[in-house]
Amino acid sequence: MVENNTIPFNGTPEQHEKLMAAIEKYKGTKGALIPVLHEAQEIYGYLPIEVQKTIAEGINVPLSEIYGVVTFYTQFVTQPKGEYRFAVCLGTACYVKGAGAIIDRIKERIGVEVGTCSADGKCSLDATRCIGACGLAPVLTVNDDVYGKLTLDDVDAILDKYLK
Amino acid sequence: MDVKSVKLKINNIDVTVPEGTTILEAARTVNIDIPTLCFLKDTNEIGACRMCVVEVKGARTLQAACVYPVSEGMEVLTNTKAVRESRKVTLELILSNHEKKCLSCVRSQNCELQKMAIDLGIDDIRFEGENPHYTVDNKSASIVRDQNKCILCRRCVSVCKNVQTVSVIDAVGRGINTVVGCAFEKSLSDTPCINCGQCIIVCPVGALREKDDTDRVWEAISDPTKHVVVQTAPAVRVALGEEFGMPIGTRVTGKMVTALKLMGFDGVFDTDTAADFTIMEEGTELLQRLESGENLPLITSCSPGWVKFCEHNFPDFLDNLSTAKSPHEMFGALMKSYYAKKMGLKSEDIFVVSVMPCTAKKFEAARPELAGNGVADVDAVVTTREIAKMIKQAGVDFINLPDSEFDAPFGEASGAAVIFGATGGVMEAALRTVADILSGEDLQAIDYTQVRGTEGIKEATIEIAGKKVRIAVASGMANARKLLESVRSGEKQYEFIEIMGCPGGCVNGGGQPIVDAKTHMNIDVAKTRAAAIYDEDKAMTFRKSHKNPIINKIYEEFLGEPCGPLSHKLLHTHYTERANY
């Protein structure tokens, strides 16, 4: 289980308004939780306790149940994403081509665990399922940039670029 | 409406059962045992653990008997090679990830997993699981959660969510990483948990237990500077025997008192005496509110699980709660004032132990609202299970003990106080006194059967001295929620409501002896224990609180009058709204 982050919640009134609109849209309908969670994550980028509490009160579902759903589906995250979103593909092809060592190196360099974000909000790290670029294995993406056929030296050079 | 009968064969035995019966229940009618782990009648019927698999002719795979309804002509086999092997592998896999510290487990010898391992003849566990080490959550004043022992049966989740609508625990994570936990890995103490302990009494293993306070009590007993007094709640005396192998519903009041005296307590008293005070105070409060029309309905506040539930979920009803403290708290307050004075003791040298059927009483005792001049009314609360453990530690041969009487002055109690232990009991006790006062008579018809029984919600309109009083009784928080929502919306009106935190009342409290799932299929535990409570009531000399001579003596000598200034200081309190998370 990923430890919960210590980055303070920075929701804006606009985001809150949007969330309340989403809650209003689904309130009272059966199976409201998942679509509300989707919209909430779209609005905030992640689902911290503050957001989940608002949803719990809004659609009258216990917080423990919401948290259970959020932690069940990998598409929902409770950690914010960084300004630079490092994502290493751990699909089969990437994995056999050494993605494990790559992810370890990134962890070490940026000092965060998989699924978490650095305290300054700069870098987050994720392990993804196959992203469909097996010909480029092993693959790292940073936001919308794709880096393929990586060696550990390449990784260091890429990290230097972002961490400077 | 007639329920259709269904004929089927189980292990080639003809069985006829009503439509809708499960294979598990049908098999039990012909003395065929199908092992279960996650199943708990009426509470958790989800077919998750796969221990109860059977062969159903025509079905492609083995089926879970606990959720599979019977059908006409069905042929079921419960003891084939495939069934035995499947159950064994399932159990071995569950055991592979279980912390097998049975010798030091609170549930040893009363563990459904341990019993199943014996019954299925597990002599070796072939698989070594991940066995991750989880931090034990022991921050709550009442409940300890030890995920290392959890088998993910979800009985606790179900009782917390469906029976209590408290919903502070759920399955978190996925696959091998699944745990039962609170949102955001919080401690139970940081959630709206009401400490009722229903999760403990449904847990098949040792993953949930009460916070153990027995060491603190032993320490006080061996401290020569402490005068240690103990009080026992009504529901304890009809359940304690179970811990020593006696049948459910056995009354062991006399043996319990003897055992406590042998253990070295300086005074062995009855919480029921204090319950009579609660009735005097709460009854007077009801009369006053009926007169003034303010803060009606009056709602009882003896149940600390219910009180915390109210603080979290129904803060708009806090002014409706009776300000009378719960009986054991009144007892503590009187011990540290009246009794201290009488015995020439300093209040801080008196150590008050409460033996309760309840885990929430542990939390209640630690409330700052319930400490006069910074001295807690009650110093330690132990459950029925904990006192049984202490009796065993003391080497007392409980079963063969002679009976003894509670000590004076808190030894005499009325039948009205005894029935506090069952749902409807506090209401009935209050009505016995209020009816006498309003009518100015010594009424003989005092069995208010309308409020008895284990139904979740009971309502009645009672006429007392020409006055109509609308009453309602709820036990279990789902029922309380339903009842109060109907009051909140204006759909229902009452003058007096009794609410108890646990379904069936204190007899089924979270601190009571744990009854396994198989027994629950055959016996209504709350009802059987409650029947013993009402027997105890019938056997009492005085059956109304205001007829208890001790009560009248203490009011005369010390307190003055019910709801008077001193009573208010010692015997009343007020609760405040709490945030959820």
Side-chain angles (χ1 to χ4, degrees), chain A residues 1 4 47-49 52-53 62-65 67-68 71-72, chain B residues 161 167-174 182-186 581:
Chain A
M1 184 78 30
N4 284 302
L47 298 166
I49 187 167
Q52 291 190 33
K53 267 165 72 173
L63 183 65
S64 62
E65 189 173 324
Y67 188 67
T71 55
F72 183 85
Chain B
K161 192 188 284 188
S167 304
V168 291
I169 43 175
D170 213 317
V172 171
R174 182 173 192 162
C182 302
F184 290 86
E185 286 71 50
K186 284 177 180 296
Y581 297 99

Side-chain angles (χ1 to χ4, degrees), chain B residues 128-145:
Chain B
E128 187 54 50
E130 282 259 311
N131 287 312
H133 286 284
Y134 300 102
T135 316
V136 175
D137 176 12
N138 58 8
K139 288 196 199 126
S140 155
S142 300
I143 297 169
V144 177
R145 280 193 347 102

Side-chain angles (χ1 to χ4, degrees), chain A residues 2-70:
Chain A
V2 173
E3 280 301 308
N4 284 302
N5 77 83
T6 47
I7 299 166
F9 174 62
N10 273 325
T12 63
E14 290 75 32
Q15 286 174 318
H16 182 74
E17 207 170 291
K18 278 190 189 164
L19 175 61
M20 293 315 286
I23 288 170
E24 206 47 53
K25 186 161 82 183
Y26 294 103
K27 203 175 176 172
T29 59
K30 220 180 155 199
L33 179 57
I34 301 268
V36 172
L37 287 173
H38 271 297
E39 294 212 10
Q41 185 155 301
E42 197 69 20
I43 296 163
Y44 290 94
Y46 71 119
L47 298 166
I49 187 167
E50 292 81 1
V51 173
Q52 291 190 33
K53 267 165 72 173
T54 308
I55 296 171
E57 280 156 34
I59 61 171
N60 202 17
V61 171
L63 183 65
S64 62
E65 189 173 324
I66 295 179
Y67 188 67
V69 169
V70 167

Side-chain angles (χ1 to χ4, degrees), chain B residues 551-571:
Chain B
I551 298 296
N552 294 320
K553 183 167 166 248
I554 295 176
Y555 273 114
E556 237 164 67
E557 268 181 25
F558 180 67
L559 282 171
E561 53 179 3
C563 292
L566 189 56
S567 291
H568 248 284
K569 183 167 166 253
L570 292 175
L571 308 182

Side-chain angles (χ1 to χ4, degrees), chain B residues 442-464:
Chain B
D442 185 6
L443 297 169
Q444 296 306 307
I446 58 164
D447 288 344
Y448 292 87
T449 47
Q450 308 96 311
V451 295
R452 294 190 186 177
T454 47
E455 301 83 30
I457 299 178
K458 293 165 280 189
E459 302 175 279
T461 302
I462 295 201
E463 208 172 299
I464 306 173

